[in-house]
Amino acid sequence: AQRVTQPEKLLSVFKGAPVELKCNYSYSGSPELFWYVQYSRQRLQLLLRHISRESIKGFTADLNKGETSFHLKKPFAQEEDSAMYYCALSGTSYGKLTFGQGTILTVHP
Amino acid sequence: DTAVSQTPKYLVTQMGNDKSIKCEQNLGHDTMYWYKQDSKKFLKIMFSYNNKELIINETVPNRFSPKSPDKAHLNLHINSLELGDSAVYFCASSQEGVSAEAFFGQGTRLTVV
């Protein structure tokens, strides 16, 4: 069975502070991990995926298979980063996504 | 030139009614999905279709019936609506492949009164 856990429902930081959104997963095979983001009044969209190993909008995420984690990090948060963030796992070729509960990030000025 | 579009955006209806939500994608993807987002913002897959064939049915009540007339469309019909069906329903599409990006519609907020 696939399971994704985001332990923080709400996360508040000040502009310029580092931010880390936690994500842990459970999956018996070799998963593909993603972070999706939903900004206010916008549709859910891909932020980054672990296979790409890229930094998007200053965010990075490293897959740690030993700890079964895929935490999202940014060294200096910006106000425009305020959004709902979902960690997601795909373990099948048809791309079915199992989502975590989501974390609402608020960056204060 | 919206990639994944769903209609309607908002739907308010009484218990017991039957309603449909339509979804269309112009990305040429083979796979389409319906997800349900509950009041706590938890997103869970309901159905997945690949080339018009049902691939995933996540123990959704029989009152929910998806229909895919072609691979660019995946509609969701709901019979005998219940209060608990109130949620935001998202349509999505992707290429095949475990690392494929999913593209989401803007969501349909269904309110059953």
Side-chain angles (χ1 to χ4, degrees), chain A residues 8-14 18-22 72 81-83 85 102-108:
Chain A
E8 301 138 331
K9 181 69 178 174
L10 301 169
L11 185 60
S12 289
V13 299
F14 286 99
V19 62
E20 181 179 47
L21 288 80
K22 290 185 166 49
L72 183 68
D81 296 329
S82 296
Y85 290 81
T103 298
I104 299 172
L105 173 65
T106 303
V107 181
H108 300 284

Side-chain angles (χ1 to χ4, degrees), chain A residues 70-89:
Chain A
F70 188 57
H71 303 326
L72 183 68
K73 300 176 185 179
K74 185 169 182 176
F76 307 103
Q78 303 298 315
E79 289 179 68
E80 55 265 30
D81 296 329
S82 296
M84 169 73 95
Y85 290 81
Y86 288 98
C87 182
L89 178 155

Side-chain angles (χ1 to χ4, degrees), chain B residues 24-42:
Chain B
E24 176 181 5
Q25 55 96 3
N26 61 5
L27 298 167
H29 290 160
D30 290 333
T31 309
M32 295 186 72
Y33 314 83
W34 279 108
Y35 286 87
K36 179 180 179 180
Q37 186 183 50
D38 63 22
S39 58
K40 296 182 179 178
K41 303 288 189 184
F42 185 57

Side-chain angles (χ1 to χ4, degrees), chain A residues 2-72:
Chain A
Q2 305 177 189
R3 185 168 181 167
V4 178
T5 303
Q6 293 177 249
E8 301 138 331
K9 181 69 178 174
L10 301 169
L11 185 60
S12 289
V13 299
F14 286 99
K15 176 183 173 181
V19 62
E20 181 179 47
L21 288 80
K22 290 185 166 49
C23 172
N24 289 91
Y25 68 90
S26 173
Y27 184 64
S28 57
S30 185
E32 296 292 329
L33 275 298
F34 306 81
W35 278 98
Y36 280 81
V37 61
Q38 189 173 27
Y39 300 103
S40 179
R41 295 190 181 85
Q42 293 188 28
R43 61 187 65 201
L44 192 63
Q45 58 188 287
L46 178 68
L47 179 63
L48 55 80
R49 51 190 147 184
H50 94 267
I51 196 171
S52 302
R53 296 183 179 274
E54 56 194 347
S55 173
I56 304 292
K57 299 184 178 182
F59 284 98
T60 58
D62 291 320
L63 178 61
N64 185 324
K65 291 187 177 181
E67 295 182 358
T68 59
S69 68
F70 188 57
H71 303 326
L72 183 68

Side-chain angles (χ1 to χ4, degrees), chain A residues 4 9 30-32 34 36 38 41-47 49 51 84 86 90-102 104, chain B residues 2-5 31 33 35 37 40-45 48 50 55-56 58 90 94-106:
Chain A
V4 178
K9 181 69 178 174
S30 185
E32 296 292 329
F34 306 81
Y36 280 81
Q38 189 173 27
R41 295 190 181 85
Q42 293 188 28
R43 61 187 65 201
L44 192 63
Q45 58 188 287
L46 178 68
L47 179 63
R49 51 190 147 184
I51 196 171
M84 169 73 95
Y86 288 98
S90 174
T92 70
S93 61
Y94 292 109
K96 162 196 163 183
L97 291 169
T98 298
F99 285 92
Q101 302 92 317
I104 299 172
Chain B
T2 303
V4 182
S5 59
T31 309
Y33 314 83
Y35 286 87
Q37 186 183 50
K40 296 182 179 178
K41 303 288 189 184
F42 185 57
L43 266 170
K44 186 173 166 62
I45 190 158
S48 170
N50 180 264
I55 302 298
I56 295 170
E58 289 284 311
F90 287 97
S94 73
Q95 295 281 22
E96 271 188 59
V98 66
S99 60
E101 175 182 357
F103 291 81
F104 286 82
Q106 78 275 27

